[in-house]
Amino acid sequence: MQRSAFWSSQSAFRTLGRLSLVGLVAVGGTAGSAHAGNQSAANGAQRAGTIEIASFGALTGPDAVYGVSSLNGQRLAVDEINASGGIDGRKLALVQYDDLCEPTQAAIVASKIISNKSFTAAIGPVCSADALAALPIFARTGVPLIMAGDSAPQITTMVKEHAYTFATRLSPQDSQNGPELATLAISVLHKTKIAILYSEDDYGQGVLAAAKPVISKLGGSVAAQESYTPSTTKDFTPQLTKIAGSGADVLLLLGYYSDTGIAVSQLARAGVSPNVTLIGSDSTAQQPFVTLAGAAANGVYLVPFYSPNNPSAVNRQFVTAYEKAYGSAPTGNAVMGYQAVYTLANAMRAGGSSGDLAERIRAIDFEGPAGTVDFDANGDLKGNPATVLRVSNGKLVADQKLTIALEKALKSD
Amino acid sequence: MASSDSLLEVRNISVYYGSFRALEDVSYTVGPGSVVCLLGGNASGKSSSMKAIFGTVPLRTGSIRFEGQRIDGWTTAKRVAAGIAAVPEGRRVFANLSVRENLELGACTLRDGRAVRTYLDAVFDQFPQLRERQGQMAGSMSGGEQQMLAFGRALMSRPKLICMDEPSMGMSPALVSRNFKLIKSIRERGTAVFVVEQNARAALKIADYAYVLRTGSVMLRGPAEQVATDPQMQAAYLGHTPLAATVPPAAH
Amino acid sequence: MITFVQQVINGAAAGSVYALLAVGYNMVYGLLGFINFAHGDLYMFSTFIVLAMVTLHVPFWGAVAVGMVAACFLGMSVERIAYRPLRTANRIAPTVSAVGVALVLENAAQVIWGPATRPFPTPLPQGLFRVDGVVITAMQIVILLTAAAIAVALRVGVYHTSWGRKLRAIRDDLPTAELVGISVNRLVSSVYAVGAALGLISGVLFAAYYNSVYVTMGLTGTLNAFTAAVLGGIGSIGGSFAGGLALGLLQSLGAGYISSGYQNTITFVVLIVVLLLRPNGMFGKLTAARA
Ligand SMILES: Nc1ncnc2c1ncn2[C@@H]1O[C@H](COP(=O)(O)OP(=O)(O)O)[C@@H](O)[C@H]1O
Ligand SMILES: [Mg+2]
């Protein structure tokens, strides 16, 4: 879900690339803030009654998939709320900023947002490293910040240490997904010789770190543990060949679908037996995973914190509206963006315009498409039960039996 | 020489390198099958004159005609294809290519492959050493052999005019006299030669017509025997004193 | 042993793709001494064009033909617009200009096709064979054969055709090449076209092998081509192939036997060691194979 800026031999090239993007945007006269959806919001300060929300995330660059999904979810929510009369007659308006999933850019964007006094709240970013860079800047004014898509545990630490009460986080946590994957493999599917392929960044390492103690607690063993550089590695055969030779009976894929999808498409050529069970982490559970992995995706288990197949009424309504608006099923980032706007709207409705908005956001409790939105003392989302999906005929299908079995197994541990 | 029967006619050209003037209002004429020599001290604009003919420097003013056609807007390749070949200053053979490949490149503007083979044989007949060494890298040959190769390469396109920039520079007296014999034999076949030479005495012996350059302008011109006896020339050049050292700077 | 052989086969296939990319890049360097930082982005952009054609239901080989024409056209335009005016300038100017072109292509691709990694549908054979427990895929065979065929074709083209002779003459001495009547501009243009066409072949093989096309493959491609070229000998055609294969094997064996997390680090350590021991690359001095 989150992307952190990773160190690689290419960072200089990437930085160059990004600089140019910044340059192009600057030449375009928008200087880093792209008013894509709500042009009129730019001078909204003069337009009485509009509630302005700063929205930031990666809108261009290699990580734009995440930022754009989140923005789509936010826009859908804003449109729904405005269509039903807004909040006490006041319309919501998003003002977008592109942080390129670069902490330095995130800091610049955060400064811009806090210096504009017309914002009621801010939503973003989609990368953990950007959140860590932006938080101290937001702390200067304390404008409410709803993070949607930043799953790194360091954020909890920072929020707790500095008592950043203005911040809440609507993201699943890496520390939750790791144990779910391990439990599914060992307790539910009874596979104990575990191979792990993880992304060499905060996300992959975070899920790995959370999974390993559970693996040994449940009596499993790690037969192979291989990593790759996210979005750079395209040839996974060296890692997979080692995994093939390790005798593992299950392979955990801890990474983004854009990488794990390609890795899965290379299993056969690396000699990995088709009998090895595959389990993908939250960030792998996206439909494009199947397009990248091809036929090899069939039978793969996925454990996302959100599934468009979730049968709740609020989710069905959200998925229908999202598909109508964007022509594709919502992703985890999209649902987080959507819930972020509703979190803000519900908090504003709850207390009119009096009192501390940040406090009211933390006190929120409602049913969103991804489950209950309810924050703990550190502003983190309280855990929701995981869904188990299985790829069948190229589609991600919810597996009710395994979902229930996993929930039971997690409770009994 | 009347322009109607001249092969090359360079008229009133000026060449600048940035703001530096290398040639100012210079004219040359080369008749078909004649040998014209260009004399002058260091930096007087001799090489620039050659470059102007091949279009490797732009003209500020003036025009160049070849067989009556304006060629100053043409690419170098088109001028070579029209029948002008170069023996560049310092020979400049392609060192990492074989002798044979160097010669074949001399004919790169020709379309007819069979003709190229015939011409190659003719050059080999004229320079048997080149035939023996056809597979050798050109850079590994001696200076004299490279000079021979540079001549051969220029002959490969069967040009109507060969322009040579100081072919005798750095050569032993024996090789210099061989060069002059070669120039004579080229003329005998009907090919015109425009040659820059430092050895004025020897050059004037074989040339029909001569030009003397000084700081980018023609200071003297005329039939070779007339130039050879010109007192200015006698004092400056043929009396074993370098031209540039004795000729007083032009009064502008 | 099986694992080792498997890693070698996989490394050789990946290396052949790098080699095809490196050779186009290296030809320009060998000819003009420019580091063509736009090479990888040309390869990315033209591969995207093939994908776009396939998406529009153009038959695969037709799409590749369109991509090839587009690659040649792009390569020649880039040369004409960004490099030719600077050919006589110092070497830094065209290099900066190349970076500019790379960024323009990258941003254009991002705007047109978006940032997501796209799968690449291909009719190229996807089957696999097992020999004594070692897996060889049909795609790997296609890649190795294509690379070998192109290596032979280039060798013949550069050493046994008048085109190659002219190229080597330009490389040796550009002003004199012009004086003997070689249309230098046309030849240089053709080298950019050939380089871009080889880039496209490499791009299509890459896309088919890894089932992915994405914007940043341009930067990665430039980096890999550069590494392969430096490893093998910058400016050398034979060296490009050797360097590409070496890079593929290094990544595969380095990840297999040292650590997958240090794949790039291993590559760069070896690159530095090679440069210290043989500053002209493995083949820089040994061959005159520079065109
Ligand atoms: N590429 C150049 N850039 C600047 N000045 C040049 C260049 N080529 C020649 N010159 C200058 O033009 C003048 C004439 O040079 P050139 O034609 O080579 O003389 P020559 O061949 O008679 O020695 C000299 O002063 C020389 O320094
Ligand atoms: Mg000279």
Side-chain angles (χ1 to χ4, degrees):
Chain A
M1 276 314 126
Q2 103 294 354
R3 284 261 161 153
S4 49
F6 58 91
W7 184 89
S8 84
S9 49
Q10 277 178 292
S11 59
F13 281 93
R14 291 167 68 97
T15 304
L16 246 178
R18 268 115 194 232
L19 278 177
S20 78
L21 277 171
V22 175
L24 281 191
V25 173
V27 167
T30 46
S33 92
H35 303 260
N38 296 277
Q39 288 289 350
S40 56
N43 51 8
Q46 287 85 32
R47 284 181 46 211
T50 306
I51 298 165
E52 283 194 38
I53 307 164
S55 164
F56 67 114
L59 299 177
T60 59
D63 302 305
V65 199
Y66 304 96
V68 170
S69 289
S70 174
L71 183 60
N72 284 345
Q74 294 170 36
R75 282 201 189 134
L76 181 62
V78 165
D79 291 346
E80 284 176 4
I81 292 164
N82 286 345
S84 61
I87 295 169
D88 302 330
R90 297 165 73 200
K91 300 261 178 195
L92 298 181
L94 291 171
V95 179
Q96 288 106 48
Y97 293 86
D98 186 1
D99 72 8
L100 300 160
C101 199
E102 285 278 312
T104 46
Q105 189 62 21
I108 296 168
V109 164
S111 306
K112 272 188 190 154
I113 294 172
I114 61 162
S115 64
N116 184 339
K117 299 282 179 275
S118 62
F119 289 125
T120 304
I123 296 174
V126 289
C127 305
S128 291
D130 287 18
L132 292 167
L135 274 165
I137 295 167
F138 278 98
R140 290 184 206 152
T141 61
V143 62
L145 172 66
I146 304 174
M147 290 173 278
D150 316 294
S151 59
Q154 295 96 305
I155 295 175
T156 308
T157 318
M158 184 185 266
V159 168
K160 205 165 147 186
E161 255 173 30
H162 299 276
Y164 286 159
T165 52
F166 63 88
T168 43
R169 180 151 67 128
L170 251 180
S171 318
Q173 298 209 34
D174 302 339
S175 56
Q176 185 187 326
N177 202 218
E180 287 166 356
L181 300 170
T183 308
L184 177 65
I186 301 168
S187 307
V188 179
L189 299 170
H190 310 295
K191 308 279 183 189
T192 51
K193 289 184 78 179
I194 296 178
I196 301 171
L197 182 69
Y198 68 99
S199 135
E200 191 72 74
D201 64 354
D202 288 348
Y203 174 65
Q205 286 164 347
V207 180
L208 176 73
K212 280 181 89 170
V214 180
I215 292 172
S216 41
K217 198 180 94 191
L218 297 178
S221 63
V222 177
Q225 179 181 319
E226 296 294 314
S227 70
Y228 60 87
T229 310
S231 71
T232 301
T233 304
K234 296 295 161 186
D235 187 0
F236 293 88
T237 47
Q239 290 91 326
L240 296 176
T241 303
K242 269 174 95 174
I243 288 170
S246 74
D249 52 12
V250 60
L251 168 59
L252 304 185
L253 303 160
L254 316 182
Y256 315 102
Y257 74 87
S258 53
D259 297 321
T260 51
I262 295 168
V264 168
S265 76
Q266 296 172 13
L267 287 170
R269 81 169 67 130
V272 176
S273 155
N275 300 328
V276 173
T277 301
L278 305 177
I279 301 178
S281 70
D282 173 63
S283 293
T284 285
Q286 307 262 0
Q287 189 60 41
F289 163 76
V290 178
T291 358
L292 291 172
N298 281 321
V300 173
Y301 295 99
L302 300 162
V303 189
F305 88 97
Y306 168 72
S307 155
N309 303 71
N310 183 341
S312 77
V314 53
N315 182 54
R316 284 209 306 271
Q317 182 255 322
F318 163 67
V319 172
T320 313
Y322 191 94
E323 281 176 345
K324 197 173 151 225
Y326 304 108
S328 62
T331 63
N333 283 101
V335 77
M336 282 189 276
Y338 183 82
Q339 293 191 153
V341 172
Y342 272 102
T343 301
L344 177 64
N346 290 344
M348 291 182 79
R349 284 198 182 109
S353 52
S354 64
D356 185 6
L357 180 59
E359 235 166 75
R360 276 179 279 135
I361 290 172
R362 280 210 172 172
I364 216 76
D365 185 353
F366 71 98
E367 278 307 306
T372 309
V373 176
D374 185 7
F375 300 103
D376 66 14
N378 298 318
D380 284 331
L381 191 68
K382 287 182 188 163
N384 281 311
T387 315
V388 180
L389 306 181
R390 191 152 191 213
V391 181
S392 160
N393 292 323
K395 291 265 176 308
L396 273 54
V397 182
D399 189 322
Q400 284 313 120
K401 246 175 72 189
L402 286 183
T403 302
I404 293 163
L406 175 60
E407 206 180 332
K408 255 171 71 187
L410 283 166
K411 279 202 186 111
S412 70
D413 293 336
Chain B
M1 253 178 261
S3 69
S4 58
D5 49 47
S6 64
L7 181 65
L8 176 76
E9 190 169 338
V10 175
R11 209 184 271 172
N12 309 111
I13 62 164
S14 309
V15 168
Y16 282 72
Y17 298 105
S19 60
F20 177 80
R21 190 188 63 201
L23 289 177
E24 175 71 8
D25 196 27
V26 166
S27 302
Y28 312 105
T29 307
V30 181
S34 66
V35 173
V36 173
C37 77
L38 181 58
L39 306 173
N42 266 339
S44 58
K46 304 183 299 295
S47 294
S48 300
S49 303
M50 292 289 177
K51 289 179 191 161
I53 293 168
F54 286 91
T56 55
V57 287
L59 298 185
R60 178 72 60 93
T61 63
S63 66
I64 302 176
R65 279 168 196 277
F66 186 70
E67 298 189 298
Q69 267 185 299
R70 271 294 281 268
I71 63 165
D72 42 279
W74 293 9
T75 61
T76 307
K78 198 170 173 192
R79 299 180 202 211
V80 174
I84 312 176
V87 177
E89 189 172 12
R91 302 177 288 280
R92 307 290 283 265
V93 296
F94 299 111
N96 295 308
L97 272 67
S98 71
V99 166
R100 189 192 171 100
E101 286 178 322
N102 266 275
L103 292 174
E104 284 166 341
L105 281 166
C108 73
T109 54
L110 302 185
R111 299 254 164 267
D112 181 358
R114 196 133 26 103
V116 174
R117 248 164 289 139
T118 316
Y119 298 171
L120 185 63
D121 270 333
V123 170
F124 281 153
D125 289 342
Q126 192 173 356
F127 306 105
Q129 275 154 287
L130 295 184
R131 175 174 276 136
E132 277 163 36
R133 297 176 169 234
Q134 56 178 297
Q136 191 177 325
M137 290 293 133
S140 67
M141 299 200 304
S142 72
E145 289 164 336
Q146 290 188 16
Q147 182 62 269
M148 215 183 268
L149 181 56
F151 275 119
R153 184 176 65 187
L155 290 169
M156 277 298 291
S157 60
R158 293 281 163 111
K160 298 180 183 110
L161 170 68
I162 297 187
C163 298
M164 305 179 181
D165 195 349
E166 306 209 28
S168 302
M169 190 169 59
M171 297 273 125
S172 68
L175 288 174
V176 171
S177 85
R178 188 191 70 185
N179 281 351
F180 282 111
K181 274 190 209 129
L182 207 64
I183 292 171
K184 263 196 257 175
S185 80
I186 290 170
R187 191 247 302 268
E188 275 152 24
R189 292 199 315 215
T191 304
V193 179
F194 185 54
V195 59
V196 168
E197 256 306 334
Q198 285 172 324
N199 190 334
R201 200 186 300 270
L204 288 170
K205 263 186 213 147
I206 58 153
D208 302 302
Y209 205 84
Y211 294 86
V212 182
L213 273 182
R214 194 183 57 194
T215 55
S217 301
V218 174
M219 79 168 218
L220 190 64
R221 49 173 286 184
E225 55 279 14
Q226 202 176 308
V227 169
T229 55
D230 188 281
Q232 231 181 323
M233 231 7 231
Q234 281 290 331
Y237 219 153
L238 305 170
H240 300 290
T241 326
L243 185 70
T246 50
V247 174
H252 289 292
Chain C
M1 189 59 201
I2 287 175
T3 306
F4 177 78
V5 175
Q6 189 72 64
Q7 300 282 28
V8 167
I9 291 173
N10 294 333
S16 300
V17 177
Y18 297 146
L20 288 178
L21 191 59
V23 77
Y25 170 87
N26 230 345
M27 279 176 88
V28 169
Y29 186 88
L31 192 61
L32 300 167
F34 294 172
I35 293 192
N36 185 1
F37 275 116
H39 190 61
D41 287 287
L42 272 173
Y43 132 103
M44 173 273 296
F45 203 90
S46 51
T47 308
F48 259 116
I49 289 175
V50 175
L51 178 62
M53 291 293 122
V54 169
T55 315
L56 292 173
H57 304 291
V58 174
F60 183 75
W61 294 111
V64 171
V66 172
M68 185 81 80
V69 171
C72 293
F73 175 78
L74 273 173
M76 293 192 296
S77 314
V78 163
E79 190 272 331
R80 186 74 194 80
I81 296 162
Y83 303 149
R84 191 180 299 177
L86 300 169
R87 196 183 297 156
T88 52
N90 59 38
R91 283 185 181 190
I92 295 297
T95 302
V96 170
S97 178
V99 171
V101 169
L103 298 177
V104 168
L105 286 174
E106 195 179 321
N107 290 321
Q110 170 104 38
V111 169
I112 302 170
W113 292 296
T117 300
R118 307 258 224 112
F120 188 75
T122 161
L124 292 172
Q126 297 295 327
L128 54 88
F129 313 98
R130 265 173 222 278
V131 184
D132 282 344
V134 176
V135 176
I136 302 170
T137 70
M139 236 353 259
Q140 288 172 334
I141 295 171
V142 168
I143 288 170
L144 291 169
L145 289 180
T146 309
I150 287 174
V152 171
L154 275 179
R155 173 90 206 169
V156 170
V158 170
Y159 286 95
H160 303 280
T161 67
S162 79
W163 177 75
R165 196 158 58 218
K166 288 175 190 169
L167 285 190
R168 285 179 291 128
I170 292 172
R171 200 204 67 105
D172 235 30
D173 185 343
L174 191 145
T176 307
E178 201 159 22
L179 267 190
V180 301
I182 296 171
S183 304
V184 172
N185 284 340
R186 211 183 299 161
L187 261 287
V188 168
S189 198
S190 76
V191 167
Y192 275 84
V194 168
L198 292 176
L200 175 85
I201 294 172
S202 167
V204 167
L205 292 176
F206 178 97
Y209 190 49
Y210 298 122
N211 191 29
S212 45
V213 183
Y214 55 102
V215 172
T216 50
M217 75 191 250
L219 282 174
T220 317
T222 300
L223 197 69
N224 284 333
F226 177 75
T227 311
V230 172
L231 272 178
I234 196 132
S236 146
I237 287 181
S240 308
F241 281 93
L245 280 176
L247 179 62
L249 290 173
L250 255 176
Q251 292 191 343
S252 150
L253 295 173
Y257 289 96
I258 304 174
S259 163
S260 47
Y262 293 105
Q263 214 174 17
N264 288 333
T265 316
I266 295 163
T267 306
F268 282 96
V269 168
V270 172
L271 184 66
I272 289 163
V273 171
V274 166
L275 283 180
L276 286 176
L277 299 178
R278 292 198 63 99
N280 294 308
M282 296 187 297
F283 290 80
K285 272 277 161 66
L286 295 178
T287 60
R290 315 221 300 167

